[in-house]
Amino acid sequence: MRWVAAHGYTVVEQHDWLRPLRGDWLMRLEEAVLDAPGEVALVAHNLSCHQVAAWAAHSRHGAKVRAALLVAPADMQTPMLSHALPSWLPVARQRLPFKAVVVGSENDPYCSLDVPQNLALGWGAQCVNLGPAGHINAESKLGDWPQGLALLTELLKD
């Protein structure tokens, strides 16, 4: 949310954040991409990383996406998530039709580092290890996260 305020980025609002149904989330992302006047860059965190990958597997509008920064993807293989979010399985693992960087942390309490590394491999993305950065969220005390903004800026260069 800091980047929204500082840089004027847009948040794709979901219909229900507490009961994230994959079909609903994919449709909402499709609408947001189509509503954008030109190319878009996607920045996703946790479950939204899987939203981007699943959307890219089904949408005919992947060419509108210039790049994606996928941060701290959820480990959908944990029993807690696989039981709570069955509509999100199976996990989309196909190569993304746009440039992407997957960012992981060595001490993410929700996801071991091998998960973002394996997802990046399947998605055809670069994987960046932030070291001990927790879940790479507000609780990680990264502030405005200039390193993340630098990753996004680099992704958007041609």
Side-chain angles (χ1 to χ4, degrees):
M1 291 302 198
R2 287 176 180 244
W3 288 2
V4 171
H7 306 287
Y9 297 154
T10 302
V11 173
V12 176
E13 292 293 340
Q14 299 302 329
H15 299 295
D16 190 345
W17 289 102
L18 299 177
R19 280 195 44 219
L21 298 174
R22 184 158 101 169
D24 292 348
W25 277 37
L26 297 187
M27 183 55 66
R28 185 62 198 108
L29 182 55
E30 179 82 352
E31 292 168 350
V33 169
L34 289 175
D35 287 348
E39 283 185 318
V40 298
L42 301 175
V43 177
H45 183 266
N46 201 13
L47 183 59
S48 295
C49 297
H50 294 283
Q51 174 190 21
V52 169
W55 172 82
H58 295 95
S59 177
R60 295 179 303 172
H61 305 287
K64 274 198 80 170
V65 177
R66 187 163 176 188
L69 182 64
L70 308 170
V71 182
D75 182 354
M76 299 305 294
Q77 302 308 313
T78 65
M80 182 181 78
L81 286 182
S82 63
H83 287 35
L85 303 171
S87 72
W88 289 88
L89 299 173
V91 169
R93 295 187 182 272
Q94 81 296 333
R95 186 173 193 81
L96 298 173
F98 39 79
K99 296 185 299 184
V101 170
V102 178
V103 183
S105 165
E106 293 172 359
N107 64 341
D108 187 333
Y110 306 108
C111 181
S112 63
L113 186 57
D114 65 318
V115 172
Q117 290 171 336
N118 288 331
L119 289 169
L121 214 86
W123 292 340
Q126 175 189 359
C127 187
V128 173
N129 174 357
L130 281 189
H135 191 49
I136 315 171
N137 60 3
E139 291 157 13
S140 300
K141 301 192 186 324
L142 298 172
D144 289 340
W145 196 34
Q147 185 180 8
L149 193 56
L151 286 169
L152 179 62
T153 301
E154 188 62 32
L155 251 177
L156 295 174
K157 286 183 181 175
D158 278 331

